[in-house]
Amino acid sequence: RLVVQLKQPFRIDIRPEWKVTVEVPGSTDNKPGKGYVEEVGIEGLRIEMAPHKPFAHLQDLGFNGLYFDRAFNCWARDLVIHRPDVAISTSSSKNLTIRDVEVTGPLHHHGFYARNSSHDILFERFQIKSTDYHGLSVSRRSTGCVFRDGFMAKGTFDSHKGMPFDIIRTNIILSNEGTVGGGGNSGPRNGKRFVHWNVRVLNGIAIHVYQPRELSMGALVGIQGAPVSDEPGSWMPEGDTGTLVADHGKT
């Protein structure tokens, strides 16, 4: 009999009729065991990319900042990232803290991107002063990610599909001028329990930030500077999504 002790509750149901397996963190198809890094940090650094051709979507040259892949309990703080294609992205990682990061330069692809099963990632006290094609992005079953206490000059609250869920974006100021993305076969844009709370929109555009029909069982609380959007959610079911809208225009 196998006994598993959990450090935190499951975010989804586990039912007896499902074929649930338990795997060692960092396992791959070819290598069971510790295929990951932990307790690694990058701080007090300016990363400046060489000048390169102007951004064209999906034709990035790879001038990227930091990429945390299969990383546990790691961090990045006190950074300036200048002229990236992607500033910071994460994948198959858990318990990361990204703090006090400034992104500068021309139009780029992603500022911060929690992708491919990124769990419990905290992005806080950030300044994205460049133009972001997408924005604060999540995708593919990423959960528990928080974006807070930040400024984004041009970008949006982006989900790249694959049903990420349990995501919070709070205390953020932005000019809402980015676009959402994700492949055509990547599944639902958002899962349950997205929360946008205390967000100030500078240019009056609500879509993706203040759009109840794009979320499921979520909450939009204290959104300022834009009217609530009644636009249907892309790649989301029709009808009442169960999303709460409260405290319009309040901090």
Side-chain angles (χ1 to χ4, degrees), residues 137-153:
S137 304
V138 291
S139 74
R140 293 185 178 273
R141 297 169 300 283
S142 293
T143 68
C145 297
V146 176
F147 301 82
R148 72 180 185 188
D149 303 340
F151 169 79
M152 184 162 51

Side-chain angles (χ1 to χ4, degrees), residues 224-242:
Q224 309 134 44
V228 62
S229 171
D230 63 356
E231 289 289 322
S234 58
W235 288 77
M236 298 296 289
E238 291 293 325
D240 184 4
T241 64

Side-chain angles (χ1 to χ4, degrees), residues 6-21:
L6 303 178
K7 288 188 175 181
Q8 66 185 77
F10 284 123
R11 290 192 169 99
I12 58 174
D13 293 337
I14 299 295
R15 300 179 183 176
E17 63 269 26
W18 295 349
K19 295 180 180 179
V20 177
T21 62

Side-chain angles (χ1 to χ4, degrees), residues 68-118:
F68 289 92
D69 181 47
R70 290 176 292 173
F72 296 168
N73 304 312
C74 296
W75 73 92
R77 61 176 176 244
D78 187 21
L79 303 176
V80 175
I81 303 176
H82 182 59
R83 209 184 289 116
D85 290 327
V86 179
I88 297 179
S89 58
T90 70
S91 176
S92 302
S93 297
K94 181 175 171 62
N95 294 348
L96 308 182
T97 298
I98 314 298
R99 176 180 292 147
D100 296 325
V101 176
E102 180 178 300
V103 183
T104 60
L107 173 66
H108 58 85
H109 199 167
H110 289 278
F112 301 139
Y113 189 5
R115 59 192 297 270
N116 294 352
S117 297
S118 292

